[in-house]
Structure formats: structure tokens, C-alpha cells
Amino acid sequence: MAKNNAQRTAASGPSSRRPFYLILAAIAVLGIVAIVYEKKTSTHRTPEEMNAEYEALKQKYANAGPPQPYVRGKADAPVVIEEFADYECPSCGNFATVTEPDVRARIVDAGLAQYKYYDFPLPMHGNSRQASLAAACADEQGKFWEMHDQLFASQDRWGLSPSEAQVTDNPTPVFQSLAKAIGLDMTKWQQCYDSKKYEARVMANMSEALRRNIDQTPTFFVNGVKIAGAVPYDQLKQAVDNAAKQGPMSAADSALGNIISHH
Amino acid sequence: MKRMVLAALALVGVFVALYLTLYKLGMIGVLACGTGGCERVNTSQWAQFLGMPVSVWGLAFYLVTFIVAFVGTTPRQADNVGLSKLLTAMCGVGVLFSAWLTYLELFVIGAICRYCVVSAVIVTVMFVVSLMDWRTRRDERASAS
């Protein structure tokens, strides 16, 4: 026993512990550097700055008037699907690229429902409001949905990286290339985008989201019935079928819905 | 030697848990984009355990394990088999807890958080190493006596 101890003491004396300490120190330094780096790159602006910016905009557009969603499908369709989404939100991107093509082909274009898209840029997504402006300026040229699809499909180029860090502070070059790709009049689009021509529209749509107490994107309303999250096609179709069975929303219902949503 | 590996792994775990804790503190906001990924996992109802964020429990676990393993590397504790048992038991609890969290991620929340996977892998390796450490010390003691 004593011999064993003596051997071990010799083998693990102070000198043989040096590599161990070095490795621990290396891990500590790497860990701290990684966290600091991650903090730096994840948000170029601090959350406080982003929130302040957001609050200021909310103030400025407190009376932006009624929301002006982007509409697709027949006006006399028995059901209305409303979507509140953020261009930079990964789950909105999932919905737009995976589920929405089916929703369009089999529900909206089939005449079962009308579709309304409302901007709901979240404060922690630094480029989302810009994306909403880019889409509004495409709408001016009748190509809202094309731009909407392009923006969601290219989130990784201007929005969040897979580790949910902002990939760029300046998304404009990417938006320009998207606008070009869908064949917009670039001079007109650029002017509209630079002047933030539709900021009031975007903020009015966002105010509507806040009025309805939405705390997650995407959130849907099917004839006023709330469905939160990037739900699969079947769930949305089910909601549309249910709504259709109950008949069109009566004036009284929608008035009630308005009262409720304003509280 | 194996305890040195344990201490080093636990230190890595400390930083992973620390990062997640900072993320959790920074992300407590009202509005959320319900994503697939860390946001979804880290803002889900299961991100709390006994009133504290899971990442804080993880941080405490790795810190304590690091300290125990580090103490275990000193020559004075070299023959302490009890310490090996303690480490194995701690890592065992860690593995069970991680297994439960991974189950939640895969089958209940339906989203995976990379850092949580990293943590689960670390704790699993730590458990295996602690088992090996325990067996070595036990055998050494048996052959010595």
C-alpha cells in the first residue's frame, strides 16, 4: 500500500500536472473567447437598443390607421385566413417554404379561402422591418407574393444563421438581388425602399398584431379562430373546413371579434 | 489521468451551460418566433426545472463535478475509491437527466437544440470515463492489498 502510494506520488508529481493545468487553462480561455464572440456576433445592436428603436416606431405610428394586409384569393370566399408573420423568423420561413405552397394550391387558389398576410416584425429581428418594406415596394408593382417567397427562401443570406445570429447588418444588397430576380422596375423599387414609403403600412399591420395580443410568429386566424405556430397543412385545412361548415362570419361575429381583439 | 479527463470535460460543460444560461437570461422577452431550434427548446415550458432554468441546473452540475474531479486529481486523493463512486453516481444522474431532456426535445417539443446535444454527449462520455476510473481504482486497490 505504501509502495503503491509512493509510486503514484512520483508519477503524478507537480511536473506531470503541468499539462493538465495548461489544458484546463486552454479550455477556460477558449470558452470565454467563444462566449464573448458569440455575444458580439449574435446581435450587433443590443436588445435594449433594438427595443428602444421599436418603441419609438410604435409611438410614431400609433395612429397609422387600419391595417392593410396583402390579400390573395377570391374576395367572396367563405373563409378568411389571416397570417401574422415576421420575415426573419425561422419558423415563418419553414411555413412559407414547406407548407404555404400547398395552402395556396389547395385552399386559396381552389377558392376555399381568401388569404391575408400581415407584417409582424419582431423587435429582436434587426432586418425584419427592412424586409417588410422591400416586400411592400414589390406590392406596389404587383409582385408582393413573389417577393414574399424570395425573402423567406433566402433567410439564411440576410436574416439569421443556423445558430440564430444575425448574418448581416445591411440586408439591402440581398433585397436588391431578389428584386432584380423577380423582374421589378429597379429604379422605382429602390426609390420606394430608400424612402421607406410604406413604413406606415408595415407598422399599421404590426399594430394590428399587438392589438390581437399575438405573442408568437407565425400566428393564424381562420375566420377569427386563432392558431399559433407554424402548423402543418392538415391542421390549417381542418380549420378552414370547420369554418366553412359554420358558414361565413356574420357581421355580428366580426364586430364582436373586433371588440374582443381591441382589449 | 481519467479524473483529469473528467475535470477537463466538466469544464467544457461549464461553458456550454454558461452560454445557454446567458442566452436564456437575454432572451426572456414577451414576443417569440416559435422556431425549430434553440429558441423553441429554450423557451419551452420544459426549459424550467424546479423553478430554475435547466441551463442553470446544468451549470451547477458541471461546476460541482469539475470541483470534485479536480480535487480527485490531487495525489492525496489518488486512492480514494469513494470519490470515484461519487463521480460515477453524479455523472449517472447527469446522463439520466440528459436522456429525459433529449426525449422531450425529440418527442414532445419536436425541436433539437445543438448545445443541449453537445451537453448530453459530454455528460455521457463523462459517465463512461467515471465508470472506467472507478473500475481501475477498485482493481488497483484489490491488487495492492
Side-chain angles (χ1 to χ4, degrees), chain A residues 83 85-103 115 148-149 151-156 164 217-218 220 229-233, chain B residues 33-37 40 110-112:
Chain A
E83 180 190 6
D86 169 318
Y87 285 110
E88 201 169 331
C89 156
S91 66
C92 302
N94 281 347
F95 179 83
T97 51
V98 178
T99 313
E100 198 165 343
D102 271 345
V103 173
Y115 201 89
H148 162 281
D149 295 353
L151 285 167
F152 277 122
S154 63
Q155 276 183 331
D156 57 329
E164 292 173 5
T217 53
F220 301 91
V231 293
Y233 170 81
Chain B
C33 148
T35 67
R40 171 124 172 234
I112 273 283

Side-chain angles (χ1 to χ4, degrees), chain A residues 35 38-39 42-43 47 90 124-125 160-166, chain B residues 15-29 31-44 47-48 53 55-56 59 112-116:
Chain A
I35 287 178
E38 192 67 31
K39 281 253 125 198
S42 61
T43 43
M124 72 276 198
H125 292 157
L160 301 177
S161 72
S163 65
E164 292 173 5
Q166 196 91 49
Chain B
F15 283 103
V16 173
L18 181 64
Y19 173 67
L20 281 171
T21 304
L22 292 174
Y23 180 92
K24 178 86 190 168
L25 295 179
M27 286 309 289
I28 292 174
L31 304 170
C33 148
T35 67
C38 284
E39 242 174 42
R40 171 124 172 234
V41 173
N42 228 340
T43 54
S44 74
Q48 298 277 329
S55 53
V56 173
L59 185 59
I112 273 283
C113 161
R114 261 175 315 284
Y115 299 100
C116 312

Side-chain angles (χ1 to χ4, degrees), chain A:
Chain A
M1 188 71 194
K3 191 177 140 219
N4 199 317
N5 243 341
Q7 264 176 3
R8 204 189 307 276
T9 312
S12 53
S15 65
S16 73
R17 288 176 66 81
R18 193 165 297 152
F20 174 54
Y21 290 137
L22 281 176
I23 287 172
L24 289 188
I27 291 171
V29 170
L30 265 177
I32 291 167
V33 168
I35 287 178
V36 169
Y37 178 78
E38 192 67 31
K39 281 253 125 198
K40 276 237 165 81
T41 53
S42 61
T43 43
H44 298 278
R45 281 168 287 176
T46 67
E48 290 75 32
E49 281 167 350
M50 286 197 190
N51 270 324
E53 217 179 311
Y54 186 72
E55 290 303 321
L57 273 171
K58 260 183 8 190
Q59 288 279 316
K60 185 175 168 193
Y61 291 105
N63 300 312
Q68 302 168 59
Y70 304 92
V71 184
R72 189 184 179 103
K74 286 198 312 195
D76 60 348
V79 178
V80 176
I81 304 173
E82 293 165 301
E83 180 190 6
F84 290 80
D86 169 318
Y87 285 110
E88 201 169 331
C89 156
S91 66
C92 302
N94 281 347
F95 179 83
T97 51
V98 178
T99 313
E100 198 165 343
D102 271 345
V103 173
R104 264 182 213 165
R106 294 156 70 182
I107 298 177
V108 181
D109 295 346
L112 300 178
Q114 193 186 35
Y115 201 89
K116 294 183 177 175
Y117 180 93
Y118 294 78
D119 309 274
F120 187 18
L122 300 178
M124 72 276 198
H125 292 157
N127 293 336
S128 190
R129 281 195 302 271
Q130 303 258 82
S132 284
L133 294 177
C137 290
D139 184 58
E140 193 179 54
Q141 300 184 35
K143 293 205 167 168
F144 170 78
W145 297 100
E146 287 84 346
M147 193 63 173
H148 162 281
D149 295 353
Q150 292 277 338
L151 285 167
F152 277 122
S154 63
Q155 276 183 331
D156 57 329
R157 286 170 58 203
W158 61 269
L160 301 177
S161 72
S163 65
E164 292 173 5
Q166 196 91 49
V167 296
T168 174
D169 264 343
N170 179 18
T172 304
V174 178
F175 296 161
Q176 283 167 337
S177 73
L178 302 179
K180 211 172 281 172
I182 58 172
L184 294 179
D185 175 339
M186 286 307 290
T187 323
K188 202 175 160 201
W189 179 85
Q190 191 70 49
Q191 232 167 30
C192 168
Y193 176 79
D194 287 342
S195 64
K196 302 190 172 181
K197 189 170 171 186
Y198 292 105
E199 193 167 56
R201 178 176 191 177
V202 171
M203 297 313 282
N205 288 345
M206 192 196 76
S207 300
E208 179 66 14
L210 296 175
R211 254 200 304 278
R212 295 200 203 182
N213 285 324
I214 295 171
D215 55 5
Q216 180 184 347
T217 53
T219 290
F220 301 91
F221 290 86
V222 177
N223 272 12
V225 178
K226 183 175 179 177
I227 302 173
V231 293
Y233 170 81
D234 288 342
Q235 198 177 330
L236 214 49
K237 177 70 165 63
Q238 183 81 53
V240 169
D241 289 345
N242 288 343
K245 249 178 260 163
Q246 286 166 4
M249 212 173 15
S250 69
D253 279 349
S254 69
L256 186 66
N258 269 333
I259 292 166
I260 292 168
S261 67
H262 278 77
H263 283 78

